[in-house]
Amino acid sequence: MRLFHRSSKDNDSMENGVQLITVADPQSAIAEQFRTIKTNIRFMGVDHKIDTLAFTSGNVSEGKSTVTDNTAISLAEDGKKVLLIDADLRRPTLHRTFRVSNNFGLTTVLTSDAKELKLDEVVRDSGIDNLSILTAGPTPPNPSELLGSKKMVEFINLVSKYYDKVVIDLAPVLEISETAALASHLDGVILVVRQGVTCKPNIARTVERLKFAKANLLGYVMNDIKASNGGYGYGYGYGYGYGKSKKKKKGKK
Ligand SMILES: Nc1ncnc2c1ncn2[C@@H]1O[C@H](COP(=O)(O)OP(=O)(O)OP(=O)(O)O)[C@@H](O)[C@H]1O
Ligand SMILES: [Mg+2]
């Protein structure tokens, strides 16, 4: 069973967006795996609410955007008001995935001098019930600076008052140093690991950076799992094992 077309080009998602299997085939085994991820997130939120959540990875093209977008759709299926944000400012995909323009978005918010932010001027309807999207916006000369800014943290705290869940597609930890710091201001972060691509030392370095920044690492999603029969099965696994930080949330209401 080959559920995803594997692209030969690393940046295919930057041109065409990612595949929304949860929309294209909601009854598929993979869509079901995303529901399992969602359920696990819910279980982990029993003691400490996980309202602001991000996915990241060590390096590029491990499946962050695919996992982030499909999990957000899965969360929205429950009737929760979900805001999906593309915060991978160097390799944005959300506008391609949802076929909308990227002439404004997160960077517009972060560079705006306006005293008061009108959310409905930047957030768009995704066409999926309960799911709103905020695309990355025009690429600025200083994306890392913007991501690491106080304004970014304030913005996430602000939107978390209006949405039940804020789900963020982050840049890779080992490529953009601000990623780990930003993750530390969220309720939780999940690492996307791609089977056969992500090497163990990079996983260890990524985990180390997230822990050093005191991010609440909830676990990992194993993307692109090969079927045991050697066929073309693709799937997602969920695991714990990198430990949970018991930090107190920063900057939350
Ligand atoms: N399970 C999978 N099976 C086959 N192809 C996949 C799978 N997951 C992701 N891909 C493909 O791999 C490429 C990278 O995926 P994606 O864009 O989700 O990764 P990313 O980590 O967000 O990449 P980037 O670092 O560029 O933001 C895309 O072309 C996507 O369609
Ligand atoms: Mg991406």
Side-chain angles (χ1 to χ4, degrees):
M1 177 170 59
R2 186 166 185 169
L3 293 169
F4 275 143
H5 164 70
R6 180 194 283 280
S7 163
S8 54
K9 286 194 296 176
D10 261 2
N11 66 350
D12 184 62
S13 48
M14 286 183 70
E15 286 165 23
N16 301 311
V18 303
Q19 300 198 44
L20 300 180
I21 194 84
T22 41
V23 175
D25 192 355
Q27 305 309 323
S28 65
I30 289 187
E32 197 46 50
Q33 292 275 7
F34 282 112
R35 288 187 201 106
T36 306
I37 293 171
K38 167 183 73 180
T39 307
N40 282 326
I41 294 168
R42 198 188 300 138
F43 284 150
M44 281 182 289
V46 171
D47 284 342
H48 302 282
K49 284 184 98 188
I50 300 168
D51 294 340
T52 55
L53 168 77
F55 290 86
T56 189
S57 60
N59 301 96
V60 298
S61 293
E62 299 192 35
K64 291 179 296 299
S65 302
T66 306
V67 174
T68 310
D69 298 1
N70 281 287
T71 305
I73 291 168
S74 227
L75 285 163
E77 271 175 10
D78 286 353
K80 295 256 181 297
K81 243 180 117 202
V82 179
L83 176 64
L84 170 59
I85 301 178
D86 191 349
D88 193 346
L89 302 182
R90 281 198 175 87
R91 298 170 70 88
T93 50
L94 194 61
H95 58 292
R96 300 275 186 207
T97 302
F98 284 89
R99 310 270 186 271
V100 294
S101 130
N102 194 28
N103 56 353
F104 60 85
L106 180 60
T107 58
T108 319
V109 174
L110 299 178
T111 54
S112 159
D113 291 330
K115 286 259 178 313
E116 219 176 286
L117 173 73
K118 292 203 175 74
L119 264 189
D120 54 358
E121 284 179 6
V122 282
V123 168
R124 300 168 205 253
D125 186 19
S126 68
I128 294 170
D129 284 351
N130 301 309
L131 182 69
S132 302
I133 53 173
L134 178 61
T135 63
T139 306
N142 54 344
S144 307
E145 213 176 289
L146 286 185
L147 279 186
S149 68
K150 212 172 127 209
K151 208 162 177 183
M152 177 71 190
V153 177
E154 286 168 359
F155 176 68
I156 290 169
N157 287 336
L158 173 83
V159 288
S160 70
K161 291 181 186 152
Y162 294 93
Y163 292 88
D164 298 316
K165 300 272 173 215
V166 178
V167 183
I168 307 170
D169 184 1
L170 281 182
V173 170
L174 299 179
E175 315 257 344
I176 310 290
S177 55
E178 283 73 10
T179 302
L182 175 56
S184 74
H185 292 282
L186 307 174
D187 295 335
V189 60
I190 295 176
L191 199 57
V192 178
V193 173
R194 192 163 188 166
Q195 197 186 47
V197 173
T198 319
C199 64
K200 279 187 183 165
N202 276 2
I203 299 176
R205 285 171 59 216
T206 309
V207 170
E208 202 177 295
R209 285 210 193 166
L210 287 169
K211 283 190 163 179
F212 184 74
K214 297 199 167 36
N216 186 18
L217 182 55
L218 300 171
Y220 66 93
V221 170
M222 180 77 82
N223 179 29
D224 207 354
I225 297 168
K226 307 294 178 291
S228 52
N229 61 9
Y232 282 119
Y234 291 90
Y236 294 81
Y238 195 85
Y240 316 87
Y242 293 112
K244 269 178 87 175
S245 130
K246 295 228 164 29
K247 76 174 194 66
K248 269 204 136 114
K249 288 187 290 183
K250 283 188 209 166
K252 276 283 290 182
K253 355 153 228 173

